[in-house]
Amino acid sequence: MKKKNRIPFNRLDYLYHRHEDEYNQAALSALCSGWYILGPELETFEKEFACYIGSSYCVGVNSGLDALTLSLRVLGIGEGDEVIVQANTYIATVLAITENRAIPVFVEPDEFHGIDASKIEAAITSKTKAIMIVHLYGQSCDMEPIVAISKQTGIPLIEDCAQSHGSTYQGKMTGSFGIMGCFSFYPTKNLGAFGDAGAIVTNDAELADKLRTLRNYGSKIKYQNETKGVNSRLDEIQAALLQVRLKYLEEIIAERERIAQSYLAGIDNPAVRLPKIRRGARHTWHLFVVQCDKRVELQAWPEDSGIQTQIHYPIPPHLSKAYSDLGYSKGSFPITERLADTVLSLPLYCGMTSDEINYVINAVNGYRP
Ligand SMILES: Cc1ncc(COP(=O)(O)O)c(C=O)c1O
């Protein structure tokens, strides 16, 4: 029989219960309003989130994947166009590219798990139509050189911020560097909804307007369809709930930072490499990812102590069955592949007690290869 986890990887119910009355009230009020799609709750959330990021506009959509897909579509990127993307990302980033029939051009990551800025220029060709970067695990990519490349070449920069709500680089929020920043509000994210939801932020009024049309069947006025759009709208109930969660986002990040600092101070095992923090970046610890050459053994060890861990991500997109048509094989992106073989995410959730944090630290420190 499977042993019950003493420490699960995540506890989403804790954050709900912490402000239960406010969430219940927000959902009830949306329910009672009789208006469920594209209404005042979404408008309010869009304004509040744009303000939080420091962008002029926010367009709510159905998911982070839709945010990424529509961000490429609105730029007119399609068949045969190339989009530069880091190789070590969640598959959604790559799916957004191929969903538009464009070609992903992979670039290896740096030691902070963001795209290696020094390798971007070599990947640019006459067909490159966008650079899509991913602020993985809650930490910003190296934005100064990346923004410079985008400016010099005129190639638009799109940020995948699905894991980086509130993360900054030199004091500026991720999502506000490129032409568009794409967010997921999947329940496990630092700014998590209670179902699927996502958004795109931008300073470009024309793009925001086009995105609003695209998400709604290509129509601004009912039954007048200007373009071939999709149905991708962030509903009123989720928008109302997200307003509540956004109020507490800074508290949530501060608590995650405290737990991460405890791990960084407490984990001391030569077989386990701790995550590095980029200078000038504020890491928001969506995930706490260590590395170990004997990952299988390390993962089995805390699991025997009832600690649940996860791997983000075990198979890089270029080696997944879904992308066998791209013709890559093992060895195509060795840094990414090595990460896929060695990374391990430790439990980190709001409401974790000091005892639980120490239990994880002691278990990891007790592991011997
Ligand atoms: C880096 C990254 N990009 C995109 C997505 C897609 O977001 P969603 O699940 O809301 O579609 C995720 C979700 O996990 C993600 O981690």
Side-chain angles (χ1 to χ4, degrees):
M1 206 174 74
K2 199 174 178 321
K3 218 180 340 173
K4 195 170 171 340
N5 285 318
R6 182 180 154 156
I7 301 182
F9 184 71
N10 214 338
R11 284 294 306 254
L12 299 181
D13 51 333
Y14 281 173
L15 272 184
Y16 164 66
H17 289 304
R18 197 176 279 178
H19 302 290
E20 190 173 336
D21 290 346
E22 283 183 74
Y23 288 119
N24 291 352
Q25 187 48 47
L28 260 181
S29 135
L31 277 176
C32 295
S33 75
W35 193 278
Y36 305 121
I37 303 272
L38 295 182
E41 298 294 355
L42 178 60
E43 265 181 44
T44 305
F45 173 69
E46 286 178 337
K47 280 200 184 96
E48 288 178 357
F49 191 62
C51 178
Y52 176 76
I53 298 299
S55 293
S56 307
Y57 308 97
C58 169
V59 180
V61 293
N62 205 253
S63 68
L65 173 58
D66 280 2
L68 292 162
T69 306
L70 294 179
S71 73
L72 293 170
R73 189 161 305 166
V74 78
L75 293 177
I77 290 169
E79 186 96 49
D81 291 335
E82 291 179 0
V83 177
I84 290 176
V85 63
Q86 69 200 61
N88 65 322
T89 184
Y90 180 55
I91 199 152
T93 327
V94 186
L95 286 172
I97 298 168
T98 53
E99 178 62 23
N100 285 296
R101 298 186 316 280
I103 303 159
V105 175
F106 296 111
V107 170
E108 293 268 40
D110 63 15
E111 60 188 312
F112 306 96
H113 304 285
I115 192 166
D116 187 334
S118 70
K119 293 184 177 150
I120 294 178
E121 272 167 314
I124 295 176
T125 72
S126 57
K127 291 185 186 163
T128 309
K129 292 294 175 330
I131 300 169
M132 200 169 238
I133 58 157
V134 189
H135 306 296
L136 207 67
Y137 305 151
Q139 174 154 243
S140 169
C141 292
D142 195 7
M143 296 317 295
E144 205 173 311
I146 295 172
V147 169
I149 293 168
S150 170
K151 279 204 174 124
Q152 276 156 23
T153 57
I155 300 170
L157 174 66
I158 298 171
E159 298 173 69
D160 181 341
C161 307
Q163 304 191 3
S164 71
H165 318 76
S167 310
T168 62
Y169 176 89
Q170 293 176 0
K172 195 167 143 64
M173 287 272 181
T174 55
S176 66
F177 288 91
I179 189 162
M180 282 171 276
C182 301
F183 288 84
S184 162
F185 306 123
Y186 183 75
T188 58
K189 306 300 185 197
N190 287 12
L191 180 62
F194 293 78
D196 274 315
I200 303 157
V201 296
T202 182
N203 286 326
D204 187 318
E206 202 182 318
L207 280 182
D209 187 59
K210 282 187 181 164
L211 286 164
R212 283 183 211 289
T213 309
L214 266 183
R215 75 172 170 189
N216 191 33
Y217 299 113
S219 138
K220 258 194 226 113
I221 302 167
K222 209 165 189 182
Y223 306 131
Q224 293 188 23
N225 299 82
E226 300 166 26
T227 182
K228 295 184 193 80
V230 297
N231 173 359
S232 181
R233 302 167 302 206
L234 201 173
D235 67 70
E236 287 289 281
I237 295 177
Q238 295 304 334
L241 292 164
L242 278 165
Q243 286 171 49
V244 180
R245 176 106 342 145
L246 182 57
K247 270 201 321 194
Y248 297 108
L249 179 58
E250 283 299 312
E251 261 176 44
I252 290 168
I253 293 170
E255 187 170 346
R256 299 186 77 88
E257 273 173 335
R258 275 198 301 277
I259 299 167
Q261 287 306 334
S262 303
Y263 279 163
L264 289 172
I267 296 174
D268 183 14
N269 184 333
V272 178
R273 296 189 289 286
L274 290 168
K276 292 183 183 163
I277 302 175
R278 194 188 297 284
R279 196 197 253 218
R282 178 204 196 190
H283 200 320
T284 49
W285 302 104
H286 170 58
L287 293 167
F288 191 94
V289 180
V290 299
Q291 285 174 66
C292 178
D293 295 334
K294 298 210 164 134
R295 199 252 320 278
V296 176
E297 288 89 332
L298 175 64
Q299 186 169 34
W301 175 261
E303 262 179 23
D304 282 347
S305 318
I307 298 169
Q308 192 183 33
T309 57
Q310 287 188 9
I311 298 166
H312 299 90
Y313 300 91
I315 304 172
H318 71 277
L319 293 183
S320 69
K321 197 171 158 207
Y323 285 116
S324 52
D325 57 327
L326 293 177
Y328 292 110
S329 54
K330 217 163 169 50
S332 298
F333 297 97
I335 300 172
T336 296
E337 290 162 26
R338 172 117 186 91
L339 284 173
D341 289 341
T342 55
V343 291
L344 186 72
S345 308
L346 301 182
L348 196 167
Y349 49 86
C350 287
M352 225 177 157
T353 65
S354 316
D355 280 353
E356 287 171 329
I357 297 165
N358 289 331
Y359 187 78
V360 174
I361 292 171
N362 290 333
V364 174
N365 284 345
Y367 163 75
R368 287 288 165 264

